[in-house]
Amino acid sequence: MTEPQNTPVPYGTNGDFDTEACNTTNNPVFADVLKTFIERRGFLKGALSAAVGVAVAAKSGELLAKDAVVDELEKSFNDNLAKNIGLPLPTRPTFAAVSTARTPGITVPAGYTARSTFKWGEPITGSYPPYRADGTNTGAEQEQQIGQHHDGIHFYPLAGFDPNRRGLIAMNHEYIEQAYLLRDGAVLTGNRPADDVRKEIAAHGVSIFEVERLANGEWSIVRGRYNRRITGGTEMEITGPARGHPKLVTAWSPDGTRTRGTLNNCGTGETPWATYLTCEENWAGYFVNRDATRPREHTRYGVPSTNSRYRWDTAQERFDCSIKAASAAGDFRNEVNGQGWIVEIDPHEPFSTPKKRTAMGRFAHEAAVFAPPRILQPYVVYSGDDSQNEYIYKFVSRAVHTPGYFNREALAEGTLFVAKFNADGTGQWLALDFNDPAFRAAASAANVTFTDQGDVMINTRLAADVVGATRMDRPEWGAVDPRDGRVYFTLTNNSARTAAQVDAANPRGPNPFGHIIRWREDGDNAAARTFRWDILLLAGSETDSVNFVLGQSARLGADSIHASPDGLWFDAAGTLWIQTDMSGSQQSSGPFGENSMLAMDVRSGVIRRFLSGPPGQEITGVTSTPNLRTMFLNVQHPNENGAGLANAFPDGPGTRPRSCTVIVEKNDGGIVGT
Ligand code: FEO
Ligand code: CA
Ligand code: CA
Ligand code: CA
């Protein structure tokens, strides 16, 4: 659903802040390309299997032959299997799929146990104020408790302990449902009470806490020194090309080097140096700019012109980006420009200042996924812009990977590229680089002026428009196959694409069910400027879907139908996990049951539904212990807008619904997913 841009959300409805459609450009679309798409698949199959010899020694930092790259990945994959997981690895998935039947709780296959834990409101730090079930926890208390609307999650083993029994959890809190968060629900008229706003801001952001597996198999929160809340109000440092930029100057940060808070934290990324990336997605709606003339860095992202989403501006002036003073240092016209970034947090340094990585672009970031790092090669990070007709990006760091030495500022500098998917199965990465002559020429041809690289990054969407990137069906999470480096991305759905606007990479218009696209970088070099792509599957019903691994006439079956794929993750054993985020009627009345998680073997094409959740939620975020015996995933906004509220999840009838983590283990101690 598309958020109404300029109207407050009425009491009793949560609103669905999944997408804020703002792309009014006319970037290329191709008619009648499903045919081209299917023809091209034959071509692609040959192209992908062709070996090309471009070998130079790895030590020199130059490219290995593509087969050698895959050999290198397979070796490290197998080394990890032997070290952490154990061999031989059973062929997966082999569990009996769960059905689409709607139940009030979590359903997992026979032989598995799922436990709800790490719930919204559980105390993790400070004076550990207990959760109060009547909604009366204050803003100050919420700042010491787990936030609402869990999303991306990651588990970090802690040095000195059994890596499969003790570690740190870092997780995002994407947004809130006021009806459950506040004692009296939301009243979105007039001025908001200051402490309600404080509580709402505190329910956003990130929670970090230590956890331990107890002898009885449960996991509990340790009151440890790493525990920390990062919220929509935490001080953050701006790094990269937009640091100190005039468009980041505010009354609070006159030199434009700092900002406050991270908002709408959707998916995650985990760096090779064990820090946490949290991605700011639908942040624009938290602000308002009521000026008659609004700058492009507001309009292209959909900053509202009448009211902010939760009317926080009525309690905290920084959410009002209208011009009020003689200069930017006297007001908050640029406050919203401090949002839209990927933020790097070191969970092992509880007093560290989170860093906004402006070199990685500003858009509705879903998540961030690293290509496997390779010696003396740059780090490569993929991120999608989840809004209708927006783009897929790739960041290539200036720093190179040097084992044993982790450059903690590796994400501060680099080049951002945007993807163009051609109808013939090839693709290009187009640089959004102020110093790149091709970029300058494209901007000039489009009559768009940028002042510097900071301006390009603050206006990333506009920069991608001018180079002619391919408008996608809401790019969500990505995942990289640890065995061969191939990249997969979910495209969740797109109600705005018309039949005349389909293209090879987005072959349905409208696209109610979504699909999963994948590509292989040329030469298997993650930093390559060109790639080859195809589509893994078109999600949908048993009559309107395609599992291309099994052939273009293969449909999804009762065990695997799904819609609106969103979360995506390769575990260390090579299984692709797909999480769904259907909203509205698709979830409540479609053939797909409630939002779920599926496991797929992308090589054999076997795909099965592994878990299904309660009404009104989405399954999002997944991580595991290194041995793959404990899986952590999140249930966000259970019983949204009252769906199934009589059996509130997870605490039962008569309680407030609470987003929470679900821990899944196999009863025989085996690998989850087998
Ligand atoms: Fe936060 Fe695009 O889901
Ligand atoms: Ca959602
Ligand atoms: Ca999502
Ligand atoms: Ca989604």
Side-chain angles (χ1 to χ4, degrees):
M1 282 167 61
T2 302
E3 179 194 359
Q5 290 293 309
N6 299 327
T7 46
V9 182
Y11 172 75
T13 65
N14 179 58
D16 187 319
F17 302 122
D18 270 358
T19 181
E20 303 180 271
C22 317
N23 194 344
T24 54
T25 66
N26 239 336
N27 277 354
V29 293
F30 307 88
D32 193 25
V33 287
L34 192 54
K35 182 168 156 282
T36 318
F37 160 73
I38 285 167
E39 284 167 354
R40 184 184 43 72
R41 287 189 54 82
F43 154 76
L44 192 58
K45 209 172 168 191
L48 286 175
S49 59
V52 179
V54 286
V56 182
K59 248 184 1 189
S60 72
E62 294 183 54
L63 297 187
L64 290 163
K66 62 162 65 175
D67 287 351
V69 176
V70 173
D71 286 350
E72 183 185 306
L73 290 174
E74 281 184 350
K75 181 176 182 312
S76 93
F77 173 81
N78 287 325
D79 287 351
N80 182 58
L81 275 188
K83 179 173 162 233
N84 290 319
I85 299 166
L87 294 170
L89 188 67
T91 309
R92 302 188 311 157
T94 52
F95 57 83
V98 304
S99 77
T100 53
R102 292 183 168 82
T103 64
I106 299 286
T107 307
V108 287
Y112 283 84
T113 297
R115 293 182 172 91
S116 302
T117 183
F118 313 153
K119 302 169 189 175
W120 158 59
E122 280 189 51
I124 57 167
T125 187
S127 61
Y128 291 83
Y131 169 72
R132 285 200 293 276
D134 59 0
T136 56
N137 281 120
T138 63
E141 288 168 339
Q142 178 64 72
E143 286 162 2
Q144 303 164 72
Q145 299 169 331
I146 292 177
Q148 208 182 28
H149 281 20
H150 301 29
D151 207 318
I153 182 170
H154 193 67
F155 176 82
Y156 297 87
L158 262 185
F161 294 97
D162 180 338
N164 298 303
R165 302 184 76 93
R166 190 143 171 170
L168 302 181
I169 289 282
M171 75 160 85
N172 290 340
H173 305 289
E174 188 177 33
Y175 63 108
I176 56 171
E177 185 158 2
Q178 292 167 311
Y180 304 143
L181 181 78
L182 303 175
R183 188 192 66 178
D184 300 321
V187 181
L188 286 178
T189 53
N191 290 342
R192 299 289 319 282
D195 199 63
D196 283 0
V197 171
R198 180 175 176 178
K199 184 174 183 180
E200 291 174 16
I201 291 172
H204 285 73
V206 175
S207 295
I208 297 168
F209 48 91
E210 191 172 343
V211 296
E212 171 181 36
R213 190 176 198 277
L214 306 176
N216 66 5
E218 293 190 8
W219 287 74
S220 76
I221 294 172
V222 176
R223 297 194 169 190
R225 69 180 188 91
Y226 301 102
N227 295 15
R228 176 180 193 187
R229 276 305 320 277
I230 288 158
T231 74
T234 302
E235 178 176 342
M236 314 226 158
E237 186 182 347
I238 310 276
T239 73
R243 178 179 170 84
H245 198 278
K247 287 177 182 169
L248 282 162
V249 167
T250 66
W252 186 78
S253 180
D255 65 358
T257 60
R258 295 178 309 142
T259 191
R260 279 174 291 181
T262 184
L263 292 170
N264 213 268
N265 304 82
C266 186
T268 32
E270 293 74 47
T271 67
W273 48 96
T275 60
Y276 183 76
L277 302 182
T278 182
C279 302
E280 298 172 346
E281 191 191 10
N282 292 312
W283 41 272
Y286 292 81
F287 298 83
V288 62
N289 179 344
R290 299 188 179 91
D291 291 342
T293 305
R294 302 184 298 150
R296 63 190 188 184
E297 59 271 14
H298 294 187
T299 54
R300 182 65 179 82
Y301 295 94
V303 173
S305 59
T306 55
N307 284 307
S308 65
R309 180 179 301 166
Y310 303 119
R311 298 176 71 96
W312 289 350
D313 58 295
T314 63
Q316 294 192 18
E317 63 177 339
R318 71 185 178 103
F319 293 100
D320 184 347
C321 299
S322 314
I323 292 177
K324 302 215 165 130
S327 76
D331 60 25
F332 294 98
R333 71 188 68 173
N334 291 328
E335 184 80 2
V336 69
N337 301 340
Q339 299 290 325
W341 308 108
I342 288 176
V343 186
E344 184 172 6
I345 299 168
D346 188 346
H348 300 90
E349 295 289 345
F351 300 104
S352 59
T353 302
K355 293 178 177 174
K356 300 225 173 183
R357 298 304 191 187
T358 68
M360 303 174 84
R362 177 171 179 254
F363 45 92
H365 284 283
E366 178 75 15
V369 60
F370 275 75
R374 294 183 44 233
I375 295 171
L376 297 183
Q377 298 294 322
Y379 297 106
V380 174
V381 190
Y382 301 95
S383 183
D385 183 353
D386 178 13
S387 197
Q388 290 173 342
N389 301 315
E390 296 295 347
Y391 310 121
I392 293 176
Y393 297 84
K394 165 167 108 173
F395 171 78
V396 179
S397 72
R398 185 168 156 163
V400 297
H401 176 55
T402 312
Y405 169 74
F406 284 128
N407 176 356
R408 295 210 168 236
E409 289 302 311
L411 301 180
E413 275 186 88
T415 305
L416 187 67
F417 298 86
V418 66
K420 183 176 183 198
F421 294 82
N422 301 316
D424 65 358
T426 63
Q428 278 106 38
W429 292 108
L430 307 169
L432 307 180
D433 178 357
F434 186 75
N435 294 315
D436 180 299
F439 177 73
R440 297 281 279 270
S444 171
N447 224 355
V448 171
T449 305
F450 296 101
T451 56
D452 48 46
Q453 184 61 18
D455 193 26
V456 174
M457 291 295 94
I458 291 167
N459 291 286
T460 299
R461 280 183 174 172
L462 179 61
D465 294 342
V466 305
V467 298
T470 303
R471 303 168 68 182
M472 307 300 287
D473 287 347
R474 298 187 52 202
E476 300 250 26
W477 293 59
V480 179
D481 191 329
R483 298 164 298 185
D484 59 18
R486 202 178 291 191
V487 190
Y488 294 69
F489 255 78
T490 49
L491 297 162
T492 197
N493 57 56
N494 189 351
S495 58
R497 187 178 296 274
T498 66
Q501 291 173 327
V502 297
D503 62 32
N506 302 276
R508 293 196 283 204
N511 179 6
F513 304 131
H515 57 290
I516 300 178
I517 198 166
R518 63 178 175 177
W519 61 88
R520 185 168 180 177
E521 302 282 7
D522 282 351
D524 288 313
N525 169 25
R529 300 287 188 105
T530 53
F531 60 92
R532 305 245 167 181
W533 65 271
D534 68 349
I535 291 180
L536 177 74
L537 61 81
L538 300 180
S541 67
E542 289 183 69
T543 55
D544 191 356
S545 60
V546 185
N547 180 347
F548 282 110
V549 182
L550 300 179
Q552 63 193 49
S553 56
R555 309 282 170 243
L556 297 174
D559 287 357
S560 59
I561 56 167
H562 65 280
S564 301
D566 185 335
L568 198 66
W569 179 62
F570 269 105
D571 69 22
T575 293
L576 182 67
W577 296 89
I578 302 164
Q579 301 174 316
T580 72
D581 179 20
M582 300 174 285
S583 59
S585 60
Q586 198 172 59
Q587 181 165 207
S588 60
S589 63
F592 308 106
E594 307 295 357
N595 277 316
S596 63
M597 182 164 72
L598 303 98
M600 184 172 190
D601 176 355
V602 296
R603 296 190 169 177
S604 68
V606 172
I607 172 170
R608 285 190 191 154
R609 193 178 305 101
F610 176 75
L611 175 150
S612 112
Q617 51 73 49
E618 71 173 278
I619 301 292
T620 181
V622 55
T623 184
S624 81
T625 51
N627 66 3
L628 299 186
R629 267 67 172 184
T630 300
M631 174 182 275
F632 305 86
L633 57 97
N634 281 329
V635 174
Q636 187 189 95
H637 58 73
N639 313 115
E640 182 181 47
N641 297 329
L645 187 56
N647 284 301
F649 184 83
D651 294 343
T655 66
R656 286 175 184 244
R658 301 167 78 182
S659 290
C660 63
T661 299
V662 169
I663 295 180
V664 182
E665 293 183 338
K666 201 173 183 188
N667 299 342
D668 67 4
I671 295 169
V672 175
T674 56

